[in-house]
């Protein structure tokens, strides 16, 4: 491994589920084994993929900070992370614009599918179409389904990400020729991860949408945007689509910090909202697959696995779930997550969250391996 020597294997994930049902005493006795399992190399997962005979030539990514590899570095916005301590565990400590101490979920998924170790940002001038041919992300931190969400911090809305993708298609055809390019376009995996900011940065944070819509109406509005976006992707050649669900956003350190009356526990109303929204997205997936011939869309839902990590951190080798690694871990992210802050932790692998909004590299690895073996397994056998 070049970038991350402690990647989680799918075998380790399966073993942790078995251990999760063990007694506390047994778990304590098995703690050393659990930690060893998380050190197993990612090659186990790559082998799992190869055995299933998947043909995924590229990963094309749209979304927010959960999958942005640095596009925001090249636009005028404060929603950036191209400075330390971000990226301190990435390829020798290089901040890339990923909101993590290292790699993010889509990087691990790309590696597991036998493609590349990391997925580059489309706006990064140090990369070219030869780099993007097997994977590229158009994502922009702080964006959402709602254009009004992207306006909050002047980031790239989904419609603009789609325009960048159309430009990418032209470059890909010029680079590979129409035949090979069309094969990549039709067999690539399209991943969408967005939605959290629509609620936490927009609906519940500023006046506007909350006066126009009830929560349920706003959920339906966002699902409508997701329906339109996936339809447009289909029209330009996408067939294999992974629609990302929301995480248990009430358990983010930022939300827990503000939950004074609840003893800084997870904000269950936000968790319930995320679960409900994911249910609506799942209904959309079923509907779109029936509506569009040849579309193969799945819901890649991180809610359950992340909540399990938060509720049983020891089973996954974590020690801290309430606060993040960076700074005090209670509210900092972005520029507030300063390199000079003396409170930043020394070992991010002990923490579920890197900053108050985003998971650590280790957490991303676990989520990625779960997604590859479960929702994405459909693509590995078709």
């Amino acid at each position: 491994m070049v970038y991350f020597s402690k990647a989680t294997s799918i075998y380790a994930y399966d073993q942790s589920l078995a251990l999760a049902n063990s007694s506390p005493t047994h778990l304590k006795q098995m703690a050393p084994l659990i930690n060893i399992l998380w050190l197993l190399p990612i090659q186990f997962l790559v082998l799992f993929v190869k055995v299933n005979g998947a043909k995924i030539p590229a990963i094309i990514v749209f979304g927010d900070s959960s999958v942005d590899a640095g596009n925001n570095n090249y636009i005028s916005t404060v929603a950036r992370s191209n400075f330390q301590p971000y990226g301190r565990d990435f390829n020798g400590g290089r901040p890339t614009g990923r909101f993590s101490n290292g790699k993010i979920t889509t990087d691990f998924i790309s590696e597991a599918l036998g493609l590349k170790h990391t997925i580059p940002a489309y706006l990064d001038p140090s990369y070219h179409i030869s780099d993007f041919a097997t994977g590229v992300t158009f994502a922009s931190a702080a964006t959402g389904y709602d254009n009004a969400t992207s306006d909050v911090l002047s980031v790239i809305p989904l419609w603009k990400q789609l325009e960048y993708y159309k430009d990418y298609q032209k470059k890909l055809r010029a680079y590979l020729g129409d035949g090979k390019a069309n094969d990549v376009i039709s067999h690539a995996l399209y991943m969408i991860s967005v939605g959290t900011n629509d609620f936490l940065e927009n609906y519940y944070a500023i006046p506007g949408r909350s006066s126009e819509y009830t929560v349920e109406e706003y959920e339906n509005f966002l699902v409508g945007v997701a329906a339109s976006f996936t339809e447009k992707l289909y029209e330009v050649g996408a067939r294999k689509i992974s629609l990302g669900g929301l995480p248990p956003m009430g358990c983010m350190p930022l939300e827990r910090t503000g939950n004074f009356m609840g003893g800084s526990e997870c904000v269950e109303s936000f968790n319930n909202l995320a679960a409900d929204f994911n249910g609506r997205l799942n209904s959309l997936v079923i509907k779109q697959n029936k509506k569009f011939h040849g579309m193969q869309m799945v819901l890649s839902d991180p809610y359950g696995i992340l909540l399990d990590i938060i509720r049983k951190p020891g089973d996954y080798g974590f020690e801290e779930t309430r606060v993040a690694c960076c700074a005090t871990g209670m509210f900092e992210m972005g520029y507030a997550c300063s390199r000079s802050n003396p409170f930043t932790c020394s070992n991010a692998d002990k923490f579920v969250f890197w900053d108050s909004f985003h998971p650590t590299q280790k957490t991303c690895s676990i989520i990625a391996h779960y997604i590859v073996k479960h929702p994405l397994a459909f693509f590995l056998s078709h």
Side-chain angles (χ1 to χ4, degrees):
M1 291 292 296
V2 177
Y3 297 101
F4 186 45
S5 61
K6 297 183 180 180
T8 309
S9 73
I10 207 69
Y11 172 70
Y13 173 75
D14 288 341
Q15 294 304 308
S16 72
L17 287 185
L19 290 169
N21 295 318
S22 302
S23 67
T25 301
H26 182 59
L27 280 174
K28 186 175 181 180
Q29 294 172 341
M30 295 295 290
L33 175 58
I34 295 172
N35 289 329
I36 290 172
L37 289 173
W38 292 121
L39 300 179
L40 291 175
I42 199 171
Q43 278 74 16
F44 280 100
L45 183 56
V46 175
L47 177 62
F48 167 81
V49 172
K50 287 181 178 178
V51 167
N52 281 271
K55 185 191 177 186
I56 296 178
I59 297 179
I60 314 298
V61 185
F62 304 89
D64 56 22
S65 59
S66 60
V67 289
D68 183 3
N71 284 310
N72 278 15
N73 300 352
Y74 307 97
I75 63 174
S76 181
T77 180
V78 296
R80 294 185 179 181
S81 60
N82 57 332
F83 46 84
Q84 293 185 348
Y86 286 97
R88 72 179 194 187
D89 297 313
F90 183 96
N91 192 23
R94 179 168 61 93
T96 61
R98 289 169 173 81
F99 279 78
S100 170
N101 59 305
K103 293 164 68 173
I104 54 179
T105 303
T106 40
D107 293 325
F108 288 110
I109 291 174
S110 173
E111 188 170 15
L113 296 181
L115 296 173
K116 57 179 69 177
H117 293 297
T118 58
I119 297 179
Y122 187 64
L123 297 185
D124 189 337
S126 65
Y127 294 99
H128 306 283
I129 190 60
S130 57
D131 303 299
F132 299 143
T134 55
V136 60
T137 178
F138 303 96
S140 177
T143 201
Y145 283 114
D146 189 351
N147 288 336
T149 302
S150 61
D151 290 342
V152 174
L153 294 177
S154 301
V155 296
I156 307 170
L158 274 185
W159 69 264
K160 182 63 175 179
Q161 293 183 32
L162 185 60
E163 290 303 307
Y164 281 136
Y165 172 64
K166 292 176 182 178
D167 181 61
Y168 161 83
Q169 281 196 350
K170 294 177 182 177
K171 294 178 180 178
L172 189 67
R173 289 192 169 97
Y175 175 65
L176 295 178
D178 287 344
K180 289 184 178 179
N182 288 337
D183 185 66
V184 170
I185 290 167
S186 62
H187 290 94
L189 172 61
Y190 295 78
M191 302 199 72
I192 305 165
S193 179
V194 67
T196 303
N197 296 319
D198 290 306
F199 294 104
L200 300 186
E201 181 187 303
N202 185 356
Y203 189 87
Y204 285 106
I206 58 176
R209 292 306 196 196
S210 58
S211 62
E212 297 178 53
Y213 302 98
T214 65
V215 176
E216 184 175 351
E217 288 172 342
Y218 191 57
E219 286 184 75
N220 289 332
F221 167 73
L222 298 179
V223 170
V225 177
S228 176
F229 186 74
T230 53
E231 179 175 351
K232 290 174 181 176
L233 274 181
Y234 176 84
E235 291 172 349
V236 293
R239 292 298 180 266
K240 299 177 180 179
I241 302 174
S242 166
L243 185 62
L246 298 186
M249 54 191 186
C251 290
M252 293 175 174
L254 182 65
E255 304 309 321
R256 294 179 76 148
T257 297
N259 189 20
F260 302 112
M261 299 301 291
S264 296
E265 294 295 330
C266 296
V267 182
E268 289 305 319
S269 60
F270 283 164
N271 281 358
N272 292 338
L273 172 59
D276 183 73
F277 186 69
N278 291 345
R280 294 170 193 262
L281 289 180
N282 190 57
S283 296
L284 173 64
V285 167
I286 296 171
K287 178 181 177 181
Q288 298 291 77
N289 283 335
K290 291 180 179 178
K291 182 177 181 181
F292 299 105
H293 176 73
M295 177 182 280
Q296 298 175 321
M297 183 157 59
V298 299
L299 179 68
S300 291
D301 187 355
Y303 186 98
I305 179 61
L306 184 52
L307 190 61
D308 197 58
I309 292 171
I310 292 168
R311 287 176 172 172
K312 297 177 288 187
D315 293 358
Y316 299 87
F318 293 106
E319 296 179 7
E320 182 57 68
T321 64
R322 290 175 175 270
V323 298
C325 170
C326 187
T328 66
M330 295 187 291
F331 61 88
E332 297 92 344
M333 62 177 151
Y335 285 109
C337 185
S338 171
R339 177 182 184 180
S340 60
N341 195 300
F343 296 106
T344 297
C345 77
S346 59
N347 183 2
D349 284 353
K350 295 180 180 180
F351 288 70
V352 173
F353 291 94
W354 165 247
D355 64 19
S356 65
F357 212 78
H358 304 96
T360 58
Q361 174 176 245
K362 179 178 175 180
T363 306
C364 287
S365 172
I366 298 170
I367 293 171
H369 286 70
Y370 172 83
I371 288 174
V372 168
K373 190 178 180 186
H374 294 278
L376 297 188
F378 173 81
F379 299 125
L380 305 182
S381 58
H382 288 74

